[in-house]
Short mmCIF file of all heavy atoms in Angstrom, two decimals:
data_model
loop_
_atom_site.label_atom_id
_atom_site.label_comp_id
_atom_site.label_asym_id
_atom_site.label_seq_id
_atom_site.Cartn_x
_atom_site.Cartn_y
_atom_site.Cartn_z
N VAL A 1038 -3.80 6.52 -0.54
CA VAL A 1038 -3.62 5.08 -0.41
C VAL A 1038 -2.62 4.64 -1.48
O VAL A 1038 -2.84 4.89 -2.67
CB VAL A 1038 -4.94 4.30 -0.58
CG1 VAL A 1038 -4.68 2.80 -0.53
CG2 VAL A 1038 -5.95 4.70 0.49
N GLU A 1039 -1.53 4.02 -1.04
CA GLU A 1039 -0.57 3.46 -2.00
C GLU A 1039 -1.02 2.04 -2.35
O GLU A 1039 -1.19 1.20 -1.46
CB GLU A 1039 0.83 3.42 -1.40
CG GLU A 1039 1.47 4.79 -1.26
CD GLU A 1039 2.85 4.73 -0.63
OE1 GLU A 1039 3.03 3.98 0.37
OE2 GLU A 1039 3.75 5.42 -1.12
N VAL A 1040 -1.27 1.79 -3.63
CA VAL A 1040 -1.63 0.46 -4.13
C VAL A 1040 -0.36 -0.13 -4.74
O VAL A 1040 0.14 0.38 -5.73
CB VAL A 1040 -2.77 0.54 -5.17
CG1 VAL A 1040 -3.15 -0.86 -5.64
CG2 VAL A 1040 -3.98 1.27 -4.59
N ILE A 1041 0.14 -1.20 -4.12
CA ILE A 1041 1.49 -1.67 -4.45
C ILE A 1041 1.46 -3.00 -5.18
O ILE A 1041 0.83 -3.97 -4.73
CB ILE A 1041 2.34 -1.78 -3.16
CG1 ILE A 1041 2.39 -0.43 -2.44
CG2 ILE A 1041 3.74 -2.25 -3.49
CD1 ILE A 1041 1.90 -0.49 -1.03
N ARG A 1042 2.17 -3.03 -6.28
CA ARG A 1042 2.23 -4.22 -7.13
C ARG A 1042 3.48 -5.03 -6.78
O ARG A 1042 4.61 -4.52 -6.85
CB ARG A 1042 2.30 -3.79 -8.60
CG ARG A 1042 2.34 -4.94 -9.61
CD ARG A 1042 2.69 -4.45 -10.99
NE ARG A 1042 1.71 -3.49 -11.49
CZ ARG A 1042 0.57 -3.83 -12.11
NH1 ARG A 1042 0.27 -5.10 -12.29
NH2 ARG A 1042 -0.25 -2.89 -12.55
N GLY A 1043 3.28 -6.30 -6.38
CA GLY A 1043 4.40 -7.21 -6.23
C GLY A 1043 4.81 -7.76 -7.59
O GLY A 1043 4.17 -7.49 -8.61
N LEU A 1044 5.87 -8.52 -7.60
CA LEU A 1044 6.40 -9.04 -8.87
C LEU A 1044 5.36 -9.84 -9.64
O LEU A 1044 5.30 -9.78 -10.88
CB LEU A 1044 7.63 -9.91 -8.60
CG LEU A 1044 8.35 -10.44 -9.84
CD1 LEU A 1044 8.93 -9.29 -10.66
CD2 LEU A 1044 9.48 -11.41 -9.43
N GLU A 1045 4.48 -10.56 -8.93
CA GLU A 1045 3.52 -11.43 -9.60
C GLU A 1045 2.07 -10.98 -9.43
O GLU A 1045 1.15 -11.72 -9.80
CB GLU A 1045 3.68 -12.87 -9.09
CG GLU A 1045 5.07 -13.44 -9.38
CD GLU A 1045 5.20 -14.90 -9.01
OE1 GLU A 1045 4.55 -15.73 -9.69
OE2 GLU A 1045 5.93 -15.21 -8.06
N THR A 1046 1.84 -9.81 -8.89
CA THR A 1046 0.47 -9.33 -8.68
C THR A 1046 -0.27 -9.19 -10.01
O THR A 1046 0.26 -8.59 -10.96
CB THR A 1046 0.47 -7.97 -7.95
OG1 THR A 1046 1.23 -8.08 -6.75
CG2 THR A 1046 -0.94 -7.53 -7.62
N ALA A 1047 -1.48 -9.71 -10.07
CA ALA A 1047 -2.28 -9.63 -11.29
C ALA A 1047 -2.80 -8.21 -11.51
O ALA A 1047 -3.10 -7.49 -10.55
CB ALA A 1047 -3.46 -10.60 -11.20
N ASP A 1048 -2.92 -7.82 -12.76
CA ASP A 1048 -3.42 -6.49 -13.11
C ASP A 1048 -4.82 -6.25 -12.53
O ASP A 1048 -5.14 -5.15 -12.08
CB ASP A 1048 -3.48 -6.32 -14.63
CG ASP A 1048 -2.09 -6.20 -15.26
OD1 ASP A 1048 -1.13 -5.94 -14.51
OD2 ASP A 1048 -1.99 -6.36 -16.48
N VAL A 1049 -5.65 -7.29 -12.54
CA VAL A 1049 -7.02 -7.14 -12.07
C VAL A 1049 -7.05 -6.80 -10.58
O VAL A 1049 -7.94 -6.08 -10.12
CB VAL A 1049 -7.86 -8.41 -12.36
CG1 VAL A 1049 -7.37 -9.60 -11.55
CG2 VAL A 1049 -9.33 -8.16 -12.10
N VAL A 1050 -6.08 -7.27 -9.84
CA VAL A 1050 -6.00 -6.95 -8.40
C VAL A 1050 -5.71 -5.47 -8.23
O VAL A 1050 -6.34 -4.78 -7.42
CB VAL A 1050 -4.91 -7.82 -7.72
CG1 VAL A 1050 -4.65 -7.34 -6.30
CG2 VAL A 1050 -5.34 -9.28 -7.72
N ILE A 1051 -4.74 -4.95 -8.98
CA ILE A 1051 -4.39 -3.53 -8.89
C ILE A 1051 -5.58 -2.67 -9.31
O ILE A 1051 -5.92 -1.69 -8.63
CB ILE A 1051 -3.17 -3.22 -9.77
CG1 ILE A 1051 -1.95 -4.00 -9.29
CG2 ILE A 1051 -2.88 -1.72 -9.79
CD1 ILE A 1051 -1.51 -3.69 -7.87
N ASP A 1052 -6.23 -3.04 -10.40
CA ASP A 1052 -7.38 -2.27 -10.89
C ASP A 1052 -8.52 -2.27 -9.87
O ASP A 1052 -9.17 -1.25 -9.64
CB ASP A 1052 -7.88 -2.84 -12.22
CG ASP A 1052 -6.88 -2.65 -13.36
OD1 ASP A 1052 -5.97 -1.79 -13.21
OD2 ASP A 1052 -6.98 -3.36 -14.37
N THR A 1053 -8.75 -3.43 -9.26
CA THR A 1053 -9.84 -3.55 -8.28
C THR A 1053 -9.55 -2.73 -7.03
O THR A 1053 -10.43 -2.02 -6.52
CB THR A 1053 -10.05 -5.02 -7.90
OG1 THR A 1053 -10.38 -5.76 -9.08
CG2 THR A 1053 -11.17 -5.17 -6.88
N LEU A 1054 -8.32 -2.77 -6.54
CA LEU A 1054 -7.96 -2.02 -5.34
C LEU A 1054 -7.94 -0.51 -5.60
O LEU A 1054 -8.32 0.27 -4.72
CB LEU A 1054 -6.61 -2.49 -4.81
CG LEU A 1054 -6.58 -3.93 -4.26
CD1 LEU A 1054 -5.18 -4.30 -3.79
CD2 LEU A 1054 -7.59 -4.11 -3.13
N LYS A 1055 -7.55 -0.12 -6.79
CA LYS A 1055 -7.61 1.30 -7.14
C LYS A 1055 -9.06 1.78 -7.13
O LYS A 1055 -9.38 2.85 -6.58
CB LYS A 1055 -6.97 1.54 -8.50
CG LYS A 1055 -7.02 3.01 -8.94
CD LYS A 1055 -6.37 3.21 -10.30
CE LYS A 1055 -6.45 4.68 -10.71
NZ LYS A 1055 -5.82 4.92 -12.04
N ALA A 1056 -9.94 1.00 -7.76
CA ALA A 1056 -11.36 1.37 -7.79
C ALA A 1056 -11.94 1.41 -6.39
O ALA A 1056 -12.75 2.28 -6.05
CB ALA A 1056 -12.13 0.38 -8.67
N LEU A 1057 -11.52 0.47 -5.55
CA LEU A 1057 -12.00 0.44 -4.17
C LEU A 1057 -11.56 1.70 -3.42
O LEU A 1057 -12.37 2.33 -2.72
CB LEU A 1057 -11.47 -0.80 -3.46
CG LEU A 1057 -11.93 -0.99 -2.01
CD1 LEU A 1057 -13.42 -1.31 -1.96
CD2 LEU A 1057 -11.12 -2.09 -1.32
N ALA A 1058 -10.30 2.08 -3.57
CA ALA A 1058 -9.80 3.28 -2.90
C ALA A 1058 -10.56 4.51 -3.36
O ALA A 1058 -10.88 5.39 -2.55
CB ALA A 1058 -8.30 3.43 -3.17
N LEU A 1059 -10.87 4.59 -4.63
CA LEU A 1059 -11.66 5.72 -5.14
C LEU A 1059 -13.05 5.73 -4.52
O LEU A 1059 -13.59 6.79 -4.20
CB LEU A 1059 -11.75 5.65 -6.67
CG LEU A 1059 -10.47 5.99 -7.44
CD1 LEU A 1059 -10.62 5.64 -8.91
CD2 LEU A 1059 -10.13 7.48 -7.28
N SER A 1060 -13.63 4.53 -4.33
CA SER A 1060 -14.96 4.46 -3.71
C SER A 1060 -14.92 4.88 -2.25
O SER A 1060 -15.94 5.26 -1.68
CB SER A 1060 -15.53 3.04 -3.83
OG SER A 1060 -14.90 2.15 -2.92
N PHE A 1061 -13.73 4.82 -1.63
CA PHE A 1061 -13.53 5.30 -0.26
C PHE A 1061 -13.28 6.81 -0.22
O PHE A 1061 -13.01 7.37 0.83
CB PHE A 1061 -12.33 4.60 0.38
CG PHE A 1061 -12.51 3.14 0.67
CD1 PHE A 1061 -11.40 2.33 0.94
CD2 PHE A 1061 -13.77 2.55 0.70
CE1 PHE A 1061 -11.54 0.99 1.23
CE2 PHE A 1061 -13.91 1.19 0.98
CZ PHE A 1061 -12.79 0.42 1.24
N ASN A 1062 -13.33 7.45 -1.40
CA ASN A 1062 -13.01 8.88 -1.52
C ASN A 1062 -11.56 9.16 -1.17
O ASN A 1062 -11.22 10.20 -0.58
CB ASN A 1062 -13.94 9.73 -0.66
CG ASN A 1062 -13.92 11.20 -1.05
OD1 ASN A 1062 -13.70 11.54 -2.22
ND2 ASN A 1062 -14.13 12.09 -0.10
N LYS A 1063 -10.69 8.21 -1.53
CA LYS A 1063 -9.26 8.37 -1.33
C LYS A 1063 -8.56 8.70 -2.64
O LYS A 1063 -9.17 8.64 -3.71
CB LYS A 1063 -8.65 7.08 -0.75
CG LYS A 1063 -9.25 6.63 0.58
CD LYS A 1063 -8.94 7.60 1.71
CE LYS A 1063 -9.40 7.08 3.05
NZ LYS A 1063 -9.16 8.05 4.15
N VAL A 1064 -7.30 9.06 -2.56
CA VAL A 1064 -6.47 9.30 -3.74
C VAL A 1064 -5.52 8.11 -3.87
O VAL A 1064 -4.53 8.02 -3.13
CB VAL A 1064 -5.67 10.61 -3.61
CG1 VAL A 1064 -4.75 10.79 -4.82
CG2 VAL A 1064 -6.61 11.80 -3.47
N PRO A 1065 -5.80 7.16 -4.77
CA PRO A 1065 -4.91 6.01 -4.92
C PRO A 1065 -3.74 6.32 -5.85
O PRO A 1065 -3.90 7.03 -6.86
CB PRO A 1065 -5.82 4.94 -5.54
CG PRO A 1065 -6.83 5.72 -6.32
CD PRO A 1065 -7.01 7.04 -5.62
N VAL A 1066 -2.57 5.84 -5.49
CA VAL A 1066 -1.41 5.92 -6.38
C VAL A 1066 -0.87 4.51 -6.55
O VAL A 1066 -0.88 3.72 -5.61
CB VAL A 1066 -0.32 6.87 -5.84
CG1 VAL A 1066 -0.82 8.30 -5.81
CG2 VAL A 1066 0.16 6.45 -4.44
N ILE A 1067 -0.42 4.20 -7.75
CA ILE A 1067 0.05 2.85 -8.06
C ILE A 1067 1.57 2.85 -8.09
O ILE A 1067 2.18 3.72 -8.72
CB ILE A 1067 -0.49 2.38 -9.44
CG1 ILE A 1067 -1.99 2.64 -9.56
CG2 ILE A 1067 -0.15 0.90 -9.66
CD1 ILE A 1067 -2.84 1.96 -8.54
N CYS A 1068 2.18 1.87 -7.42
CA CYS A 1068 3.62 1.77 -7.51
C CYS A 1068 4.06 0.32 -7.42
O CYS A 1068 3.32 -0.55 -6.94
CB CYS A 1068 4.31 2.58 -6.41
SG CYS A 1068 4.09 1.96 -4.74
N ARG A 1069 5.25 0.07 -7.93
CA ARG A 1069 5.84 -1.26 -7.81
C ARG A 1069 6.41 -1.41 -6.40
O ARG A 1069 6.81 -0.43 -5.77
CB ARG A 1069 6.96 -1.45 -8.84
CG ARG A 1069 6.47 -1.66 -10.25
CD ARG A 1069 7.57 -2.27 -11.12
NE ARG A 1069 8.70 -1.37 -11.34
CZ ARG A 1069 9.90 -1.55 -10.82
NH1 ARG A 1069 10.15 -2.57 -10.01
NH2 ARG A 1069 10.87 -0.71 -11.08
N SER A 1070 6.49 -2.63 -5.93
CA SER A 1070 7.05 -2.89 -4.61
C SER A 1070 8.54 -2.56 -4.62
O SER A 1070 9.32 -3.11 -5.39
CB SER A 1070 6.86 -4.37 -4.22
OG SER A 1070 7.29 -4.59 -2.91
N THR A 1071 8.90 -1.60 -3.79
CA THR A 1071 10.28 -1.14 -3.68
C THR A 1071 10.45 -0.61 -2.26
O THR A 1071 9.45 -0.23 -1.64
CB THR A 1071 10.56 -0.03 -4.72
OG1 THR A 1071 11.94 0.33 -4.69
CG2 THR A 1071 9.72 1.21 -4.44
#
């Protein structure tokens, strides 16, 4: 699961979605919107 940060995305949103993906037994990766 790619967790993608927009220019104004809050850190807590990224952290929450990463934790959610892990709870789904997925491999989350964090990247900037590009």
Side-chain angles (χ1 to χ4, degrees):
V1038 176
E1039 289 178 316
V1040 181
I1041 303 123
R1042 181 191 299 275
L1044 184 64
E1045 299 186 68
T1046 306
D1048 289 344
V1049 67
V1050 170
I1051 298 299
D1052 293 342
T1053 300
L1054 293 179
K1055 179 180 179 180
L1057 182 69
L1059 288 170
S1060 75
F1061 291 164
N1062 197 30
K1063 301 294 186 182
V1064 176
V1066 294
I1067 312 300
C1068 69
R1069 286 198 293 110
S1070 185
T1071 185

